[in-house]
Amino acid sequence: MSLPNDASEDRMQMMTKTERFSKLFDELERCREDEQMQKMEEMNGLIDEMNEEELKSIFTIELFDKIHQIIEEKTLPLENALVLLKHVGYYRELKIIYLESFDYSLLRERMKEMIIDENEKKEEINEKILTDLCECYALLGEDDIFGEVLSIIVPCLLKVALKKDETEEAQKEVEMALLALGNIGYWVEKESYGNEIKEIIKYHQEHQNLTRLAYQSAWEFLIKRFHNYESLEEVFVNDLHFAREARREIEELKRDVDWKRKEETGKEAKELLIFRKWIYNIDNYFTSCKLWNEEVEKLLSSFVQMIREFRDNSKKVSNWCFFSITNAAENRNVKIDDLLKSGAVDAFSEEMKQSTLEDKIVYDCLYFFLNVSRRLNEKKDDEKKEAKRKSIKRKMFEWIEEGYEDVMTSFHAILPDLAEKSKFLQLSKYSSDYLWSL
């Protein structure tokens, strides 16, 4: 006969992850502090395995408000609550999950007050509590961060991120601080903290002292500011060599990721999540970049290569790359000639001829060719530029295999349906817009 606690454990195993999490959370108030930590370790393990839908269903405004309540009532010590909240923020940001519930909760406002109050203590300040509060606030929020709280959070986290200690514990602290900074890069002014983040990136390039996620996050802190301050691109391209570094990191991750692990365990490997974050940030760069050199050309070629490499064993990665190259084609600073030389035109043409295609990929392919077509059909006033445009169009004719026109025309009937499903962009309803004529 099973013992009572064995039966209880069996029932727990039969519950879904969200049900088990809710049960553990409800028990927190009735536990001693040491028992709370044990239960939170179990809760953190469940968070690691949750997908976006599960995480959103658990971490609602009501749950964040409840956490605020039990902190205020002192039934859950602040230090224990921060352990749980940091873990939620870590995986929310690592998995690129949009979680706006924190922004509308009582906990967000209370945490903001705690950051300001702790910072004002000066000599009596508890550095660990302040750092944990700043990390939670930065990792969990989606809304703007500005004013006094931003001026406290960024210096506090940079102080941690600048540590050169290479012990495992120190590396974890640096990783968490940089991950939090990466999430709030949008709200930081161009002139602020540029030297500190450059120092972190350059020191790593020389000494390899950061974890992969920490290094990626340092770049993210900069690249999110790049959208608002294009003058940063000179630093990106010629000083820090973003494209070269991103390409190297992706090539290393490709070798190290176990691409079948998720299918076998239902849990994404951390390396795969970092790989996706690199692609996400490179996509941001492709969308806005103006300086185009050999390093960026090679990065584009790597994306084309990944489309072919992952077409069979990881369609999701292949689709990410299709989307990024589609954005690159829309950016007029990306040369059509480079789209040809990189093999992008070939890869998109090959995909269009597949017998079964997801609507999203059909959309990306059509939008890619629409942008290329529009740019190639814009006549130039300068004779040399006009001659080059015609030369590239001839190359395009040679590059596209026979049957391209039939493929494009075959998609004409489904264009209204595709446009309806992708309202954020508009496809042309004329199939001739996707074709070329001299």
Side-chain angles (χ1 to χ4, degrees):
M1 180 181 293
S2 297
L3 295 172
N5 64 328
D6 291 336
S8 177
E9 288 178 10
D10 289 342
R11 284 196 297 273
M12 280 288 283
Q13 290 302 317
M14 291 173 67
M15 293 178 179
T16 64
K17 291 190 286 288
T18 54
E19 288 170 341
R20 287 158 62 193
F21 184 95
S22 296
K23 184 177 186 302
L24 289 164
F25 181 83
D26 290 340
E27 294 170 352
L28 282 179
E29 289 182 89
R30 301 188 296 274
C31 295
R32 297 192 311 272
E33 191 170 334
D34 59 330
E35 291 175 330
Q36 285 182 344
M37 289 302 294
Q38 183 181 347
K39 288 188 181 296
M40 282 193 290
E41 284 180 16
E42 293 180 57
M43 292 161 72
N44 287 344
L46 291 168
I47 290 168
D48 297 354
E49 298 178 7
M50 286 183 188
N51 58 30
E52 180 172 359
E53 184 180 339
E54 290 167 332
L55 198 72
K56 285 183 173 181
S57 72
I58 284 290
F59 286 94
T60 59
I61 297 172
E62 291 75 21
L63 186 80
F64 283 122
D65 283 349
K66 180 64 175 177
I67 293 172
H68 165 261
Q69 178 189 331
I70 57 181
I71 290 173
E72 294 296 294
E73 293 173 352
K74 302 189 186 303
T75 53
L76 178 65
L78 177 61
E79 292 85 348
N80 286 6
L82 292 174
V83 170
L84 175 63
L85 291 168
K86 278 175 66 174
H87 202 79
V88 179
Y90 181 87
Y91 272 91
R92 186 209 69 80
E93 179 60 16
L94 183 59
K95 296 181 180 182
I96 317 178
I97 293 173
Y98 187 72
L99 188 69
E100 62 180 345
S101 52
F102 175 75
D103 293 325
Y104 299 98
S105 69
L106 297 172
L107 182 62
R108 184 181 195 260
E109 285 307 306
R110 182 68 185 107
M111 198 172 284
K112 179 179 175 181
E113 292 172 6
M114 286 191 282
I115 289 170
I116 294 170
D117 290 346
E118 189 65 42
N119 186 65
E120 287 178 350
K121 291 179 182 177
K122 303 304 178 185
E123 289 83 7
E124 300 174 11
I125 191 169
N126 186 323
E127 295 281 357
K128 185 177 186 324
I129 288 289
L130 179 60
T131 300
D132 288 347
L133 284 166
C134 289
E135 287 172 348
C136 288
Y137 194 88
L139 286 167
L140 290 168
E142 298 283 359
D143 206 355
D144 299 14
I145 300 177
F146 51 85
E148 184 178 4
V149 71
L150 183 66
S151 68
I152 297 169
I153 289 174
V154 180
C156 174
L157 297 184
L158 277 173
K159 182 178 179 180
V160 178
L162 283 161
K163 289 181 179 178
K164 303 296 192 296
D165 186 350
E166 295 185 28
T167 62
E168 185 177 351
E169 184 179 355
Q171 281 197 322
K172 285 181 179 178
E173 290 175 1
V174 169
E175 181 180 91
M176 185 67 82
L178 284 170
L179 188 67
L181 284 167
N183 192 45
I184 61 173
Y186 286 124
W187 322 124
V188 180
E189 292 182 0
K190 179 193 72 172
E191 293 81 6
S192 305
Y193 315 110
N195 290 334
E196 290 91 339
I197 207 71
K198 277 175 62 179
E199 179 187 336
I200 289 168
I201 289 173
K202 286 200 162 192
Y203 188 86
H204 174 76
Q205 288 174 351
E206 293 175 13
H207 301 93
Q208 302 297 300
N209 66 307
L210 299 176
T211 66
R212 280 172 166 165
L213 179 58
Y215 188 46
Q216 187 279 326
S217 300
W219 279 109
E220 187 172 7
F221 180 66
L222 273 181
I223 206 163
K224 284 183 174 175
R225 296 158 72 185
F226 170 70
H227 274 280
N228 296 324
Y229 304 102
E230 292 179 356
S231 57
L232 278 173
E233 188 167 10
E234 184 71 31
V235 175
F236 259 78
V237 175
N238 298 325
D239 190 8
L240 298 177
H241 301 279
F242 169 74
R244 181 194 69 195
E245 291 294 296
R247 181 168 173 259
R248 180 184 55 75
E249 289 286 322
I250 279 180
E251 291 300 319
E252 289 183 4
L253 281 163
K254 271 166 52 180
R255 291 193 297 269
D256 294 347
V257 170
D258 181 354
W259 297 100
K260 293 184 178 180
R261 178 179 172 183
K262 185 177 186 298
E263 296 174 11
E264 295 170 354
T265 66
K267 180 178 177 181
E268 290 178 301
K270 184 176 179 181
E271 290 81 9
L272 176 58
L273 296 171
I274 300 169
F275 184 91
R276 179 170 62 188
K277 282 179 70 66
W278 269 114
I279 292 181
Y280 175 81
N281 283 289
I282 293 166
D283 175 64
N284 283 339
Y285 182 75
F286 280 157
T287 302
S288 307
C289 67
K290 291 189 175 179
L291 296 177
W292 195 259
N293 63 12
E294 186 179 354
E295 289 179 355
V296 187
E297 290 169 19
K298 287 180 178 178
L299 182 57
L300 179 65
S301 296
S302 290
F303 268 55
V304 175
Q305 184 181 345
M306 283 193 289
I307 286 175
R308 295 193 168 103
E309 282 183 48
F310 294 107
R311 187 174 277 150
D312 296 325
N313 66 347
S314 185
K315 190 66 177 173
K316 186 185 289 186
V317 175
S318 182
N319 291 356
W320 294 339
C321 295
F322 268 116
F323 180 71
S324 293
I325 296 174
T326 299
N327 286 338
E330 190 175 12
N331 181 351
R332 290 177 175 270
N333 298 293
V334 178
K335 300 172 186 175
I336 299 291
D337 218 9
D338 288 329
L339 293 173
L340 279 166
K341 287 187 293 185
S342 69
V345 174
D346 259 353
F348 276 75
S349 181
E350 289 165 11
E351 193 71 14
M352 292 286 281
K353 295 174 185 177
Q354 300 296 313
S355 57
T356 56
L357 279 178
E358 299 173 24
D359 284 354
K360 180 67 176 68
I361 298 303
V362 174
Y363 184 91
D364 286 343
C365 288
L366 287 171
Y367 199 72
F368 171 85
F369 283 114
L370 178 60
N371 277 305
V372 172
S373 301
R374 284 172 174 167
R375 291 171 61 186
L376 284 176
N377 286 325
E378 293 172 352
K379 294 184 179 180
K380 308 293 182 183
D381 294 332
D382 184 275
E383 287 186 15
K384 287 184 178 179
K385 290 182 180 179
E386 176 63 11
K388 184 173 182 180
R389 180 186 72 87
K390 288 185 175 181
S391 173
I392 294 173
K393 287 187 73 171
R394 289 191 186 93
K395 286 183 190 176
M396 189 69 80
F397 273 119
E398 295 168 4
W399 219 278
I400 298 296
E401 299 175 11
E402 289 183 20
Y404 169 75
E405 184 169 351
D406 292 338
V407 171
M408 288 300 183
T409 305
S410 71
F411 285 106
H412 182 74
I414 66 170
L415 284 175
D417 185 50
L418 285 174
E420 179 66 23
K421 290 178 179 178
S422 304
K423 291 180 180 179
F424 58 95
L425 291 172
Q426 290 299 312
L427 288 170
S428 171
K429 62 182 179 179
Y430 303 107
S431 53
S432 59
D433 284 345
Y434 301 94
L435 306 173
W436 293 271
S437 60
L438 291 173

